[in-house]
Amino acid sequence: MPLSQDEIAFLGNVRRWMDREVAPHVAAWDEAGTFPRELYKKAAGVGVLAVGFPEHLGGVGGSARLRVALQREICRPGSGGLLAGLFSHGIAAPPIVALGSAEQQARLLPGILAGDKIAALAVTEPGGGSDVANLRTTAIRDGNVFRVNGEKAFITSGIRADILTVAVRTGGPGASGVSILVVEGNPRGLTRAPMQKMGWWCSDTALLHFEDVEVPVENLIGELGFGFLGLMQNFNGERLGLAAAAWAFAEECLAEATDWARARETFGKPLISRQVIRHQLVDMKMRIEAVRALLYEVAERLDAGEEPVADVCMLKNLATETLEFVAGKCVQILGGSGYIRGCKSERIFRESKVLSIGGGASEVLTDLAARQLGW
């Protein structure tokens, strides 16, 4: 289904907001290692935080196609750190929607979608990334609280988050022993340390340590042992979003390199007049268009109620591999300018690898796709 006129108007408004309020500042925010907290409230005012969430909880709904198109607009400034940090609720809040009680949803979600509260998902641990079923952080019930002990690593928005959606082990080994708790505020025993990284500089990434952190029993999301299911339901949406981001960032790199090739003269002729450069641009365009076509096809299937897990995995891998290829080629075309900070392709090139890791590493997704296909 094509986007409605209202959706097209909404996306136009988002683009104008990004051009006015975000794009002029992303380089400075990257160098500062953060972006202003008030940006969450401003983004909520434009409506972007609420897309994809139920209307009765402060959301505005929205199809997978709309979410893909919105991702394209948010990625125009070429900052993965901004995307990850400003939209960390996009992976932290869905488990609450999927498994939470009406009371929990009404208490937690409106503040997040209004930009008053920052939410982060805490699943990954120092000793295990994609192997969610074998996480080690424990939550043992003690009267009216759970006592949480363990560590989480690589947590986007983990430093500034007001609400942490935390995967814990409440039972035996394997997926059936995993549950989800919401940790609010900054309780005693929770320590947070920033992690320095290759890219996403303006998005805080945290190492979280839980030492006898008391979490009220009423903050258990869903039933005991249902956490793994809630997290798995989250992954299709997360992987679609990562694929959309990879596609959008690849388009931004190609646009920058093409503009440069038109303007740059080498040996008295525009760089784009060189056959080798034109062929590289066409090769990149071909790959990007293939990703775009598959991206919207998968989005339409999700909107039709399908759960094409294998296709989502393959899409995410194709999109991220394409981004890595395109970003590298574009930096090469830009030459020395592409190696200087402040260049959009330089930033995207540094940030491209994380998209191949987050949401399930490429190797894990390839194997999952094979199993889903019965191979």
Side-chain angles (χ1 to χ4, degrees):
M1 292 287 292
L3 297 175
S4 69
Q5 289 301 311
D6 286 344
E7 290 172 328
I8 292 171
F10 165 69
L11 293 170
N13 189 42
V14 171
R15 180 180 294 194
R16 289 188 291 274
W17 179 73
M18 294 294 296
D19 288 343
R20 182 179 67 251
E21 300 283 345
V22 176
H25 308 294
V26 291
W29 290 341
D30 228 29
E31 295 297 332
T34 188
F35 58 85
R37 187 181 175 102
E38 58 264 27
L39 194 65
Y40 291 91
K41 194 70 177 175
K42 292 180 179 179
V46 181
V48 296
L49 299 189
V51 172
F53 290 92
E55 294 183 20
H56 70 281
L57 297 171
V60 296
S63 64
R65 282 183 63 88
L66 176 61
R67 296 198 299 275
V68 168
L70 176 61
Q71 196 86 311
R72 180 68 188 92
E73 300 303 329
I74 299 299
C75 291
R76 286 188 186 278
S79 175
L82 174 79
L83 175 70
L86 190 59
F87 292 90
S88 59
H89 75 293
I91 56 175
I96 302 173
V97 174
L99 299 179
S101 67
E103 182 278 329
Q104 290 169 332
Q105 293 173 354
R107 175 164 56 89
L108 297 169
L109 291 174
I112 295 172
L113 301 183
D116 297 321
K117 300 285 187 179
I118 299 171
L121 179 68
V123 176
T124 304
E125 298 182 347
S130 299
D131 190 7
V132 177
N134 289 312
L135 61 85
R136 297 180 179 180
T137 299
T138 60
I140 299 173
R141 183 161 181 174
D142 182 7
N144 293 325
V145 301
F146 286 97
R147 294 191 179 276
V148 181
N149 287 277
E151 284 190 322
K152 300 293 181 180
F154 318 115
I155 307 306
T156 300
S157 296
I159 298 293
R160 58 169 59 179
D162 308 293
I163 294 171
L164 292 167
T165 305
V166 186
V168 294
R169 183 159 303 285
T170 54
S176 62
V178 176
S179 301
I180 296 175
L181 295 177
V182 165
V183 177
E184 298 179 77
N186 198 32
R188 185 175 62 184
L190 171 62
T191 57
R192 317 180 193 217
M195 303 182 77
Q196 304 302 314
K197 48 199 187 298
M198 182 190 300
W200 284 10
W201 293 350
C202 69
S203 167
D204 86 63
T205 302
L207 176 68
L208 307 179
H209 182 74
F210 298 84
E211 185 174 353
D212 273 341
V213 174
E214 295 184 2
V215 180
V217 169
E218 55 265 29
N219 280 22
L220 173 69
I221 302 299
E223 299 180 28
L224 283 174
F226 276 70
F228 187 79
L229 175 62
L231 295 171
M232 292 304 103
Q233 291 175 337
N234 196 30
F235 273 135
N236 265 352
E238 181 183 3
R239 290 163 183 163
L240 180 75
L242 290 168
W247 162 65
F249 287 139
E251 284 210 321
E252 289 302 314
C253 286
L254 179 59
E256 185 174 53
T258 302
D259 289 344
W260 172 262
R262 288 195 177 107
R264 172 70 165 167
E265 286 198 359
T266 59
F267 306 101
K269 293 183 179 180
L271 186 60
I272 203 167
S273 69
R274 310 298 178 181
Q275 185 184 68
V276 65
I277 298 298
R278 294 200 309 273
H279 286 192
Q280 288 182 29
L281 294 173
V282 169
D283 191 14
M284 288 187 280
K285 179 68 171 176
M286 176 181 66
R287 295 173 190 235
I288 291 170
E289 286 301 305
V291 171
R292 182 193 62 79
L294 183 57
L295 182 61
Y296 276 102
E297 178 188 327
V298 170
E300 287 183 359
R301 292 178 63 188
L302 289 168
D303 285 335
E306 296 182 39
E307 293 290 337
V309 175
D311 296 270
V312 172
C313 291
M314 291 186 289
L315 165 65
K316 195 254 187 183
N317 282 357
L318 177 65
T320 55
E321 288 171 7
T322 296
L323 174 59
E324 289 186 35
F325 175 84
V326 169
K329 288 289 186 184
C330 287
V331 168
Q332 185 73 20
I333 290 173
L334 287 158
S337 297
Y339 198 67
I340 300 300
R341 279 168 29 190
C343 173
K344 190 182 292 188
S345 293
E346 181 272 337
R347 183 169 57 246
I348 293 172
F349 179 67
R350 280 189 288 104
E351 296 178 341
S352 63
K353 178 52 72 175
V354 70
L355 298 182
S356 300
I357 298 170
S362 299
E363 296 82 0
V364 172
L365 297 191
T366 297
D367 193 58
L368 175 56
R371 286 186 278 115
Q372 288 287 318
L373 293 167
W375 298 345

